[in-house]
Amino acid sequence: MSRDEIETLQSARLVKQVNRVYHNVEYYRKKMQAVGLEPGDIRGIEDLNKLPFTTYEDLNKTYPFGLAAVPKSELVRVHASSGTTGKPKIGVYTRRDIDTWAECVARCFSMAGITRDDVIQVGYGYGLFTGGLGAHYGAEYLGAMVLPMSTGNTKKLIDMMVDCDVTAIACTPSYLLHVAEDLEKAGLIDKIKLKTAICGAEPWTDEMRDQMEQRLHIKAYDIYGLTEICGPGVACDCEYHKGLHIWEDHFLPEIINPNTLEQQPGGTEGELVITNLTKEGMPMIRYRTKDLTSLEYGKCDCGRTMARIQRFKGRTDDMLIIKGVNVFPSQVEAALLTVEGTTPHYMMVVDRVDNSDTLEIQVEVAESAFTDEVSSLERLSKEVHDRLKTAIGLNAKVKLVEPNGLGHFDGKSKHVIDKRKLYE
């Protein structure tokens, strides 16, 4: 499609979507009325900047189904990801939404060269996380044979990879490098027929791509998505790796200045904002993703004409992505406040060892609890570990630090040291 054709389609779908949410979602209607806006004021994408933004705070206020645009009887699926205060970010789907999502993922897989003749292992987690079922339905939509492996049993995954002549895999990049290491140890690299990997759910570098391609003799592709919009399948890169092609007939992207909130022209770095053009269940209108990037609108070397999301430079909030899990320092702080014998002072040290993310949380012990008694400190460490695991869903290494051992900062406290350098 030409840029004019894309924008004509987007305008028609935006007008229809705004009408739907205005009349079907009280929360959206009140937000629009608060700025003096009626559906008739939106005549195309040129009026997009008149619409108010949607944020995580809006999702939190309306949790769980306050932004649903259809009756609950028309919803067939719920997915969720972690939020800043324990409330997950919800995504709900109608039957048509599931079909559209599957088609978008299938487009991504097709762009990576996968066809109905392929056998694809899905190594993302199944359940509330969108990765497993999103990739599964997309692969089936394409007509490929699917092995729903999930995570947690790498040996079984490798056995099935060899026995079933697996040609493609969808998983996190760090997990794929772990699989590569186990294949090498078992002497099975020459026994597999893997040719393609679709990796997402966590940021990764070109160096990681080069390593997995060289070690496994494959081509690796980056896929992007977020629960609030639909899950994986919002965008994916092609063989030229010059940005992630976003499916603009379903997702209307824009870049804003996160400080002024003004729209930015193509090629300018800022915060990515996405509007659902076709989603029925819980459409997001101008959703602020917090991801910092830019958009390129020129025709790609592959011939595709839809916009490309460029390499992510970071985030406007303090969210970390560790082993595919969204983690906020505020979650750690809230958990520590429930443990008697600790102070609010802590440090999260994130690193990558042997291609796998690691998390160490250094926790300052209160004066009243500090002792030379090893058993007492071990009990405190275990309690901290268990509370943190419940709060963030990860097994973090806990290191207890003596009172005032972390140093107290003037002004804004520093709580994170990320050694992965993911955005360079």
Side-chain angles (χ1 to χ4, degrees):
M1 300 175 72
S2 68
R3 177 50 43 187
D4 286 344
E5 289 172 326
I6 292 172
E7 292 183 352
T8 297
L9 177 62
Q10 288 176 327
S11 290
R13 289 183 169 178
L14 178 64
V15 168
K16 183 178 179 180
Q17 189 71 287
V18 169
N19 269 279
R20 285 187 69 252
V21 300
Y22 185 88
H23 293 293
N24 296 339
V25 184
E26 181 183 12
Y27 190 83
Y28 276 136
R29 180 166 61 252
K30 288 182 176 179
K31 285 192 73 171
M32 291 174 64
Q33 289 174 341
V35 295
L37 197 62
E38 295 182 352
D41 297 323
I42 306 301
R43 300 179 181 180
I45 59 173
E46 66 275 8
D47 296 320
L48 182 63
N49 61 354
K50 296 179 182 178
L51 290 163
F53 293 103
T54 305
T55 65
Y56 168 72
E57 287 70 32
D58 294 313
L59 290 173
N60 203 31
K61 290 176 184 176
T62 58
Y63 177 87
F65 304 124
L67 291 181
V70 298
K72 193 178 294 186
S73 60
E74 294 183 27
L75 299 174
V76 300
R77 179 88 65 79
V78 177
H79 280 289
S81 65
S82 61
T84 56
T85 58
K87 287 291 187 184
K89 289 179 279 189
I90 288 285
V92 296
Y93 307 74
T94 64
R95 169 54 56 192
R96 181 175 292 179
D97 290 338
I98 294 293
D99 291 341
T100 299
W101 182 19
E103 180 193 335
C104 288
V105 175
R107 290 183 188 182
C108 294
F109 287 0
S110 180
M111 184 157 52
I114 299 173
T115 72
R116 60 176 305 174
D117 296 322
D118 282 291
V119 179
I120 180 168
Q121 283 181 315
V122 177
Y124 293 117
Y126 281 67
L128 283 175
F129 175 55
T130 56
L133 287 171
H136 185 115
Y137 274 63
E140 286 189 343
Y141 189 99
L142 190 61
M145 181 188 295
V146 186
L147 276 67
M149 298 302 306
S150 191
T151 57
N153 193 335
T154 304
K155 183 182 184 306
K156 185 70 171 179
L157 182 144
I158 288 174
D159 288 343
M160 296 292 284
M161 182 180 288
V162 174
D163 296 343
C164 297
D165 294 334
V166 168
T167 56
I169 187 170
C171 62
T172 64
S174 57
Y175 183 63
L176 184 58
L177 285 172
H178 174 66
V179 171
E181 183 177 330
D182 283 6
L183 282 166
E184 290 166 346
K185 288 178 180 177
L188 294 173
I189 290 290
D190 294 333
K191 301 293 184 182
I192 63 173
K193 295 186 178 180
L194 197 66
K195 65 176 185 179
T196 306
I198 308 291
C199 296
E202 62 188 21
W204 50 302
T205 62
D206 286 336
E207 288 73 23
M208 287 184 72
R209 186 201 305 276
D210 291 341
Q211 187 176 156
M212 64 180 68
E213 289 186 342
Q214 291 168 14
R215 292 172 69 176
L216 293 168
H217 314 300
I218 62 171
K219 294 293 183 181
Y221 298 82
D222 193 3
I223 192 169
Y224 173 74
L226 52 166
T227 300
E228 308 91 297
I229 298 299
C230 83
V234 172
C236 189
D237 63 351
C238 66
E239 66 268 30
Y240 291 94
H241 306 305
K242 293 184 177 180
L244 306 177
H245 293 270
I246 181 169
W247 306 121
E248 289 190 88
D249 51 335
H250 295 291
F251 314 106
L252 177 57
E254 57 180 313
I255 297 294
I256 65 167
N257 181 312
N259 298 314
T260 66
L261 304 184
E262 294 178 348
Q263 285 182 328
Q264 302 298 299
T268 304
E269 187 177 301
E271 181 182 345
L272 177 65
V273 174
I274 299 177
T275 296
N276 283 116
L277 293 176
T278 58
K279 193 172 185 183
E280 297 176 334
M282 190 182 288
M284 294 290 103
I285 304 298
R286 300 195 81 192
Y287 183 72
R288 296 184 60 181
T289 69
K290 303 292 187 179
D291 290 319
L292 293 172
T293 182
S294 61
L295 292 172
E296 296 295 336
Y297 288 95
K299 187 176 182 180
C300 181
D301 291 342
C302 71
R304 293 178 178 85
T305 54
M306 290 190 177
R308 284 167 288 147
I309 302 171
Q310 299 303 295
R311 177 179 293 281
F312 293 106
K313 302 296 185 182
R315 291 181 58 83
T316 62
D317 61 6
D318 57 357
M319 188 185 83
L320 296 163
I321 302 177
I322 304 171
K323 293 185 177 179
V325 177
N326 296 347
V327 179
F328 292 85
S330 56
Q331 291 173 297
V332 173
E333 184 172 310
L336 292 177
L337 289 172
T338 67
V339 181
E340 187 176 349
T342 65
T343 76
H345 303 293
Y346 64 94
M347 182 68 72
M348 301 170 64
V349 182
V350 189
D351 205 348
R352 178 160 282 158
V353 178
D354 295 330
N355 300 307
S356 181
D357 290 343
T358 64
L359 172 61
E360 177 183 275
I361 301 180
Q362 301 172 2
V363 181
E364 208 172 87
V365 180
E367 290 275 5
S368 59
F370 192 70
T371 175
D372 290 334
E373 188 178 325
V374 174
S375 60
S376 295
L377 292 176
E378 286 178 344
R379 284 195 297 270
L380 180 58
S381 179
K382 185 179 186 306
E383 183 179 0
V384 171
H385 173 273
D386 293 346
R387 295 287 178 90
L388 288 171
K389 184 178 180 181
T390 299
I392 65 177
L394 289 173
N395 267 312
K397 178 182 178 182
V398 173
K399 180 180 179 181
L400 298 182
V401 180
E402 64 184 16
N404 301 310
L406 291 177
H408 299 163
F409 297 87
D410 294 328
K412 186 176 181 180
S413 297
K414 181 177 177 63
H415 289 303
V416 177
I417 298 175
D418 193 339
K419 300 179 178 180
R420 295 172 298 177
K421 300 181 179 179
L422 292 174
Y423 298 110
E424 289 187 357

